């Protein structure tokens, strides 16, 4: 009787493994897992981009705050924006050569 139950156990185990393999093939679990891994990588990349954007926003905000407090920065910003030069200044235009 012991040998008969051992054979039944092994047959049941093989049947379960076969059913699980068939289910995995039917549902295409391997490609779904690959898509999941790819989406997790994309989420990590997007989180990194969000962090970088937040850091840039902080730097720009500090720059804007400093412009309000520093008259030299205020003048430099206006001159950059308007394209103005002071009397007596020399302007050098540097153009890159196309390849």
């Amino acid at each position: 009787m012991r040998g008969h139950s051992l054979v039944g156990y092994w047959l049941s185990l093989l049947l379960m493994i076969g059913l699980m393999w068939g289910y995995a093939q039917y549902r295409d679990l391997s490609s779904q897992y690959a898509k999941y891994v790819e989406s997790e990588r994309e989420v990590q990349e997007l989180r990194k981009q969000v962090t970088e954007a937040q850091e840039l926003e902080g730097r720009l905000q500090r720059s804007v705050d400093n412009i309000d407090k520093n008259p030299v920065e205020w003048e430099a910003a206006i001159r950059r924006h308007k394209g103005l030069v002071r009397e007596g200044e020399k302007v050098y235009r540097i153009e890159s050569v196309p390849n």
Side-chain angles (χ1 to χ4, degrees):
M1 190 75 171
R2 177 137 168 82
H4 182 57
S5 65
L6 188 59
V7 170
Y9 170 75
W10 283 107
L11 286 176
S12 300
L13 183 61
L14 287 174
L15 178 64
M16 289 300 294
I17 290 172
L19 288 173
M20 288 171 45
W21 181 81
Y23 179 77
Q25 295 302 314
Y26 174 73
R27 299 293 282 177
D28 198 19
L29 295 180
S30 60
S31 68
Q32 287 183 8
Y33 180 73
K35 289 177 187 176
Y36 167 76
V37 169
E38 177 65 21
S39 67
E40 283 294 315
R41 186 193 62 75
E42 290 174 0
V43 166
Q44 291 300 322
E45 182 65 30
L46 290 173
R47 285 183 180 152
K48 180 181 173 187
Q49 290 177 5
V50 166
T51 302
E52 291 171 356
Q54 288 172 339
E55 291 171 357
L56 176 61
E57 179 186 20
R59 287 194 305 267
L60 293 173
Q61 185 62 46
R62 285 189 296 277
S63 176
V64 167
D65 292 342
N66 288 338
I67 284 177
D68 288 342
K69 297 173 187 171
N70 188 344
V72 174
E73 286 294 323
W74 181 265
E75 178 188 356
I78 292 173
R79 292 174 60 192
R80 257 192 321 272
H81 181 65
K82 300 282 186 178
L84 302 175
V85 293
R86 284 186 177 165
E87 191 175 316
E89 283 184 328
K90 292 182 183 179
V91 177
Y92 296 95
R93 183 179 303 248
I94 301 173
E95 296 180 7
S96 62
V97 179
N99 293 341

